[in-house]
Amino acid sequence: MADIPVRVEERLKIKIGEAKQLLPRSNLSSVVRDVYCTLSLDQEEIYRTKTVEKTLNPFFGEEFQFEVPRDFRFISIYIFDRDKHLKQNKVLGKVAIKREELGSYNNKDHWFAIKPVDADSEVQGKVNIELRFTSNYQKSKYGRNDRLSVQVVKCLDLTLKNGACDPYALVCVTYTNRKSVSKRTKVRKKTTCPQFDEVLTFDSYEGRDKDGLCGDGSDVDICELNVSIWHDAPGMGDDVFLGEVRVQLSGMQQQNAAPRNAWYFLQPRSAKNRPSFTYSTPPGTRLSKDNSLGSLRLQIHYNEDRVFPAEIYKSLKDLLLTSVQTRPITSSAVYFLGEIISSKMEIAQPLVRIFMHHGQIVPIIKALADAEISMLTDPTTIFRGNTLVSKMMDEAMRLIGLQYLHKTLRPTIELIFNERKPCEIDPTRVRDANTVQSNLNNLKTYVLKVFEAITQSAVHCPALMCQIFHNLKECAMKRFPENKEVRYSVISGFIFLRFFAPAILGPRLFDLTTEQIDNQINRTLTLISKTIQSLGNLVSCRSSQQVCKEEYMESLYKEFYTESHVTAVRQFLEIISAISNPETRDSDTPVTLKEGLMIKRAQGRKRFGRKNFKQRYFKLTTHNLSYSKTRGKEPLCQIPLSNILAVERLTEKSFKMKNMFQIIQPERTLYVQAANCVEEKEWVDLLTKICQTNMNRLKKYHPCAFINGQWSCCQSPNELAPGCSKVSSTESNNFHMTLDPERDLQRIHSLIMSHLKQLELLMKPEAFVKGTLQFKTYGIQDIKVLRDLRDVALEIEAKHKIYMRTLARDTKYGSLAAPIGDDNYLLASRMNLDSLLLRR
């Protein structure tokens, strides 16, 4: 198992709900705040919420989810107060959760105490230190002299302070007589990963008094080492603290041995009375019952999967894929997974991706839908519950139809953000009742644009979605032949209620916008989403009263409850559920895939132009990548996707800048810096994905830039020299996201192991006789499938245990993989491996 390549994949979804009882701006309780939150990996800001004005109990209700692109120690949510008058933002406090503790909060709302932010505790990164003790190094008039040689080899992932990092190391030793001596390295400019090629030496006689002894007459020894990292900030007052390491050296003097080299996590600045090198949760990160600064409600879902190669999962994959042919489908492995796992979306997501990868998504959804519909007696309840097939449909539509969604909704969403017209029609929510009519007109305009965009988009609906919709319609019509509306309602329940309406309500979750959503726009999107959701019900409701719950919405519904609107909805539903749906896709119309601000280096298109860095607005479509000075301006440069030879990350040493990547073209290379590590990963992954089938794609590239007449990576002076590293590769598929079947199979394995008791309970017929479960009594075929599920999961689990034991045995505490200073590797190696793996 030691030779098997294993990768760790992490995904985090966090919903920032609301804050309670924040402190007022002054002693007057009436002085409220304008509050927003930032979500950070350690000290790197990843996302920011909208600003909620004039409140001490702000409600945010925003959800963020992303693939974790790098190692981290804490997820931190900082709470800020935006002061318009002082034109500055003040941090009110933070909630910080250790990486190892994230799993304990999964899938539930938790209230966290907001803790104060101390500049000396805002640290991140690691430091590599090498120590050598030489006894009797040099005899002096005081007798024996010991020498300590300290080399701060390098640091990784230091914190940026105001966008800069010019670090140096300050090394301080303390002697047994409490005297201390400090020395420092040179400053390393513009880097968060500095290398220090200096050895600092400390002699024991440096700590002696005039008589060469301690105050009690004993000899003087070096007892403690403190290495602190600082950001050099000339002209800004004091230098900025970046972290420290404290190491006890008592007893080392007698060891005239080889150098001791180890990696350490940087720690917050220690209080004078704190025991040196005590590895506990840094100040400001530990949860407590002290809510003096208020509290914050969060919902967290964190997955960490150790993914093995494909052959490890072959038995599980084959068992899942046989579900397509299993009859009845209620005796299949997929169906049983939906029964034993309570969170249907958790299991639906990996299942959809696996069956999508193997081209079996249409038949598996059809089989599950047949089974569910056959058990119903009321057509109005079709797919209304929290069932496996309904969640699989949600995930399939999102995966298959994301580009279709963008093409349909993005123009109107952008118009709403640009115009910012008020659309509030609830009389209890407006200050002036006379504005309701004009607001209603604005809302009608937006709803009409969305309605027309949807109903006229049928020919662009992906063929795979059309096949699934056709099968659902056939199933429903076969089960309820007397109901003439069911052919429409079964489709509208998905396409309107669970596809378009959620995307309008939360456009950031569907990548329809990157802009902040203020209260007014949020309300506008809510009203449009409610209206579109109701319009989807027109095909099965006889009057607007059946879809209208709020009185103030009735006038809007009446405007759209006409025969022409009902006809348009039905025609749209008929086209997208026709099995012979024509492949008349308008491929000449570009679809925006991603956009946002980034910093780019001049490409050198002008002969005498300076190659400086400038901020530009980038836009990636299905046709090209372009950038302009600001959003909405004419592009300064357009790069056809067919011209992109490779997209790869750029090492930090090239320009001493983080989160950079390169877009390689035949004539030149474009160097770009993303806002943070998550943005960098998303841009690189997406560009790589859509350009991977280019005929002229490179096989090798240069991971560093060509600077000062040579490539920094291979030192070749030839700017046209072929690359020295292999390009990244991804598996090809026709969907917006790259499928990763091994990762999805591992996610299913983890879910089975966490629900193993429920699975084994189903295998005991006596449990059903006693009526302890609300399932049918299973037969011999059912028990065999359940046993196969258990056995393949335990087989994979055995390989995980072997791997974890090998990892615990081979990983050295103090190595880069397990730095000293946090309860990571050392704690994990002491834990019971069985319980550790079950929580994975």
Side-chain angles (χ1 to χ4, degrees):
M1 291 298 297
D3 298 331
I4 295 179
V6 178
R7 55 191 170 96
V8 179
E9 300 285 354
E10 299 170 274
R11 183 169 183 81
L12 179 67
K13 180 167 69 174
I14 184 166
K15 183 174 183 179
I16 302 177
E18 59 184 318
K20 292 288 188 183
Q21 299 176 344
L22 299 179
L23 295 181
R25 285 181 179 169
S26 69
N27 293 328
L28 300 175
S29 59
S30 60
V31 180
V32 291
R33 300 181 182 273
D34 298 337
V35 188
Y36 69 90
C37 296
T38 63
L39 172 63
S40 299
L41 281 178
D42 293 322
Q43 308 303 313
E44 182 180 9
E45 180 180 325
I46 305 299
Y47 294 110
R48 181 174 294 199
T49 69
K50 63 187 177 185
T51 299
V52 183
E53 299 180 342
K54 300 178 180 179
T55 179
L56 297 178
N57 300 290
F59 178 82
F60 302 102
E62 294 192 50
E63 184 178 290
F64 306 98
Q65 52 184 322
F66 58 95
E67 301 290 332
V68 180
R70 63 169 177 82
D71 286 339
F72 68 98
R73 293 164 70 186
F74 291 89
I75 284 290
S76 301
I77 296 89
Y78 293 85
I79 300 92
F80 286 87
D81 176 24
R82 187 188 67 184
D83 194 322
K84 296 179 181 178
H85 301 292
L86 298 179
K87 295 183 179 180
Q88 65 181 12
N89 301 332
K90 178 184 177 182
V91 62
L92 303 178
K94 71 174 182 179
V95 170
I97 308 170
K98 292 181 70 171
R99 176 184 185 175
E100 292 82 5
E101 297 173 357
L102 284 170
S104 63
Y105 300 110
N106 262 359
N107 295 326
K108 291 182 181 179
D109 280 353
H110 289 269
W111 283 96
F112 295 85
I114 298 173
K115 312 304 294 183
V117 174
D118 174 13
D120 286 342
S121 71
E122 298 296 292
V123 302
Q124 71 175 51
K126 315 175 188 73
V127 59
N128 183 213
I129 302 173
E130 183 170 291
L131 305 178
R132 178 193 288 270
F133 247 113
T134 307
S135 298
N136 295 314
Y137 173 75
Q138 176 183 337
K139 290 190 176 182
S140 67
K141 63 180 181 178
Y142 302 117
R144 192 184 109 249
N145 177 55
D146 295 333
R147 168 166 288 188
L148 171 65
S149 300
V150 180
Q151 182 180 8
V152 183
V153 182
K154 67 186 299 185
C155 297
L156 293 177
D157 303 321
L158 297 179
T159 307
L160 287 171
K161 296 296 183 180
N162 296 322
C165 186
D166 298 332
Y168 67 88
L170 180 65
V171 182
C172 177
V173 298
T174 303
Y175 296 86
T176 49
N177 62 356
R178 297 187 180 180
K179 183 178 179 180
S180 61
V181 176
S182 298
K183 299 179 183 181
R184 56 174 283 181
T185 68
K186 294 178 181 178
V187 176
R188 298 297 184 264
K189 293 289 188 179
K190 297 181 180 179
T191 178
T192 58
C193 301
Q195 284 191 294
F196 301 99
D197 300 320
E198 300 175 56
V199 178
L200 305 178
T201 59
F202 299 86
D203 292 310
S204 58
Y205 69 77
E206 295 181 75
R208 292 171 180 164
D209 297 327
K210 291 182 180 180
D211 58 0
L213 300 173
C214 286
D216 58 2
S218 62
D219 204 356
V220 177
D221 289 326
I222 300 173
C223 64
E224 184 181 77
L225 170 71
N226 182 302
V227 178
S228 56
I229 311 298
W230 298 79
H231 164 58
D232 183 45
M236 300 292 290
D238 296 335
D239 291 346
V240 182
F241 177 77
L242 298 179
E244 72 174 14
V245 169
R246 293 164 62 88
V247 183
Q248 288 286 0
L249 299 177
S250 299
M252 266 193 74
Q253 294 93 320
Q254 285 72 38
Q255 301 174 9
N256 196 359
R260 194 174 84 178
N261 186 296
W263 281 90
Y264 301 83
F265 278 122
L266 288 172
Q267 301 293 327
R269 188 184 297 184
S270 302
K272 289 184 179 180
N273 58 350
R274 175 181 291 185
S276 61
F277 208 67
T278 300
Y279 296 123
S280 58
T281 305
T285 63
R286 187 174 294 162
L287 298 180
S288 77
K289 297 180 180 178
D290 178 14
N291 295 334
S292 58
L293 297 181
S295 53
L296 183 67
R297 180 168 59 86
L298 303 174
Q299 186 180 91
I300 299 169
H301 187 80
Y302 172 72
N303 288 328
E304 179 186 15
D305 292 315
R306 298 184 184 274
V307 183
F308 288 141
E311 59 268 18
I312 302 296
Y313 303 103
K314 185 178 184 304
S315 297
L316 178 58
K317 178 198 70 176
D318 293 342
L319 182 60
L320 294 174
L321 293 179
T322 56
S323 298
V324 176
Q325 289 82 35
T326 302
R327 291 296 179 270
I329 190 67
T330 52
S331 295
S332 68
V334 167
Y335 184 85
F336 286 132
L337 288 175
E339 293 289 285
I340 65 173
I341 297 172
S342 55
S343 175
K344 299 298 183 284
M345 182 52 79
E346 266 198 277
I347 187 61
Q349 289 177 337
L351 282 176
V352 166
R353 293 165 185 270
I354 289 168
F355 281 92
M356 192 86 76
H357 176 77
H358 293 281
Q360 297 293 311
I361 190 64
V362 174
I364 192 63
I365 287 182
K366 181 181 185 302
L368 292 170
D370 272 333
E372 182 169 324
I373 292 176
S374 66
M375 291 185 270
L376 298 177
T377 57
D378 183 356
T380 63
T381 61
I382 296 179
F383 302 128
R384 297 291 180 175
N386 181 28
T387 62
L388 177 63
V389 67
S390 63
K391 295 301 181 183
M392 288 182 69
M393 270 298 300
D394 292 345
E395 180 65 15
M397 288 191 299
R398 183 172 180 133
L399 186 61
I400 302 167
L402 194 59
Q403 290 188 21
Y404 166 56
L405 187 73
H406 282 213
K407 180 181 289 189
T408 305
L409 295 182
R410 185 183 280 270
T412 306
I413 296 294
E414 289 181 343
L415 183 66
I416 292 169
F417 276 87
N418 291 334
E419 293 184 341
R420 297 184 178 273
K421 291 182 179 179
C423 296
E424 184 55 73
I425 59 175
D426 183 354
T428 64
R429 288 174 173 259
V430 295
R431 295 180 180 178
D432 184 1
N434 295 324
T435 62
V436 171
Q437 187 57 47
S438 62
N439 292 352
L440 177 61
N441 293 334
N442 294 337
L443 184 58
K444 286 179 181 178
T445 300
Y446 289 143
V447 171
L448 181 61
K449 286 182 178 294
V450 173
F451 179 82
E452 290 179 344
I454 292 174
T455 53
Q456 294 172 13
S457 70
V459 294
H460 304 303
C461 184
L464 211 53
M465 284 177 64
C466 294
Q467 293 175 31
I468 294 174
F469 289 146
H470 172 78
N471 290 339
L472 296 182
K473 180 175 71 174
E474 293 294 312
C475 292
M477 291 172 60
K478 182 179 179 180
R479 180 71 180 88
F480 302 101
E482 72 288 348
N483 190 307
K484 304 302 180 184
E485 307 296 339
V486 74
R487 65 185 293 124
Y488 302 116
S489 61
V490 70
I491 308 302
S492 65
F494 281 111
I495 196 72
F496 280 98
L497 276 64
R498 307 175 82 141
F499 187 62
F500 286 122
I504 296 169
L505 185 62
R508 293 185 68 176
L509 286 176
F510 291 81
D511 297 325
L512 287 168
T513 184
T514 57
E515 294 193 35
Q516 292 293 326
I517 303 175
D518 58 31
N519 290 334
Q520 178 179 303
I521 289 183
N522 184 60
R523 181 61 177 165
T524 298
L525 296 175
T526 300
L527 293 172
I528 296 173
S529 179
K530 290 173 67 174
T531 308
I532 292 301
Q533 193 171 342
S534 300
L535 290 176
N537 290 327
L538 287 179
V539 293
S540 56
C541 298
R542 297 184 178 181
S543 67
S544 61
Q545 284 76 16
Q546 289 181 268
V547 297
C548 178
K549 296 181 180 179
E550 297 90 351
E551 184 178 344
Y552 63 85
M553 294 288 287
E554 188 171 349
S555 59
L556 180 65
Y557 289 157
K558 284 182 178 180
E559 183 80 15
F560 289 92
Y561 190 76
T562 65
E563 193 62 34
S564 62
H565 288 94
V566 174
T567 301
V569 171
R570 288 182 173 176
Q571 185 178 23
F572 167 72
L573 297 175
E574 287 285 4
I575 295 174
I576 66 171
S577 61
I579 197 169
S580 58
N581 182 63
E583 289 292 332
T584 55
R585 306 289 181 257
D586 186 5
S587 59
D588 293 328
T589 304
V591 178
T592 301
L593 302 177
K594 188 173 178 60
E595 57 185 331
L597 286 170
M598 292 193 290
I599 295 173
K600 65 97 184 174
R601 184 178 187 251
Q603 301 180 71
R605 290 181 294 154
K606 297 179 181 179
R607 185 174 181 181
F608 300 105
R610 294 180 61 192
K611 292 186 178 182
N612 54 356
F613 289 87
K614 291 184 179 179
Q615 188 179 69
R616 292 290 183 255
Y617 193 87
F618 281 76
K619 186 174 184 178
L620 174 64
T621 72
T622 49
H623 286 185
N624 58 51
L625 173 70
S626 63
Y627 59 81
S628 53
K629 285 190 174 181
T630 57
R631 185 182 184 190
K633 297 292 184 180
E634 286 296 315
L636 298 173
C637 176
Q638 290 183 321
I639 304 172
L641 296 184
S642 58
N643 282 4
I644 297 178
L645 306 181
V647 180
E648 297 289 341
R649 288 177 173 81
L650 194 70
T651 57
E652 183 185 334
K653 72 177 183 180
S654 295
F655 300 108
K656 295 185 177 180
M657 297 168 65
K658 299 184 72 173
N659 306 320
M660 289 203 69
F661 62 96
Q662 52 184 315
I663 300 166
I664 306 171
Q665 309 162 68
E667 301 291 331
R668 59 187 64 86
T669 298
L670 175 63
Y671 298 112
V672 183
Q673 183 187 36
N676 54 58
C677 61
V678 173
E679 279 287 299
E680 178 204 23
K681 176 177 171 57
E682 291 178 354
W683 276 102
V684 171
D685 288 351
L686 187 53
L687 280 164
T688 301
K689 170 71 183 68
I690 61 179
C691 298
Q692 64 184 343
T693 56
N694 287 353
M695 297 296 294
N696 53 352
R697 179 173 165 80
L698 292 180
K699 294 183 179 180
K700 289 190 174 184
Y701 79 106
H702 291 284
C704 298
F706 187 83
I707 302 175
N708 298 326
Q710 68 175 14
W711 291 102
S712 304
C713 44
C714 58
Q715 282 74 51
S716 172
N718 182 8
E719 190 170 3
L720 301 178
C724 53
S725 298
K726 289 184 178 180
V727 299
S728 306
S729 62
T730 56
E731 233 177 288
S732 178
N733 56 64
N734 298 320
F735 309 109
H736 174 68
M737 300 178 67
T738 301
L739 300 178
D740 187 348
E742 289 78 34
R743 182 180 181 181
D744 292 318
L745 286 164
Q746 174 54 42
R747 182 93 293 271
I748 291 176
H749 163 256
S750 297
L751 289 170
I752 295 174
M753 292 307 301
S754 61
H755 293 79
L756 195 60
K757 289 184 179 180
Q758 292 91 320
L759 190 154
E760 290 178 337
L761 198 58
L762 295 185
M763 298 168 59
K764 298 179 180 179
E766 63 271 15
F768 301 98
V769 175
K770 296 176 182 177
T772 56
L773 292 176
Q774 299 301 316
F775 300 116
K776 68 175 184 179
T777 302
Y778 294 120
I780 296 175
Q781 180 184 352
D782 304 323
I783 300 299
K784 181 182 183 303
V785 173
L786 289 167
R787 187 181 295 113
D788 290 343
L789 265 178
R790 181 197 62 185
D791 292 346
V792 296
L794 291 176
E795 181 183 346
I796 297 172
E797 188 69 5
K799 291 181 171 60
H800 274 286
K801 289 181 179 179
I802 295 172
Y803 170 78
M804 293 299 289
R805 291 192 183 102
T806 304
L807 184 67
R809 183 191 66 210
D810 296 344
T811 304
K812 180 183 177 183
Y813 191 51
S815 65
L816 179 58
I820 299 170
D822 273 1
D823 296 332
N824 48 21
Y825 160 75
L826 189 61
L827 176 63
S829 65
R830 292 174 178 172
M831 293 177 64
N832 182 282
L833 280 175
D834 291 346
S835 61
L836 176 67
L837 290 166
L838 282 173
R839 284 202 303 271
R840 192 179 58 250

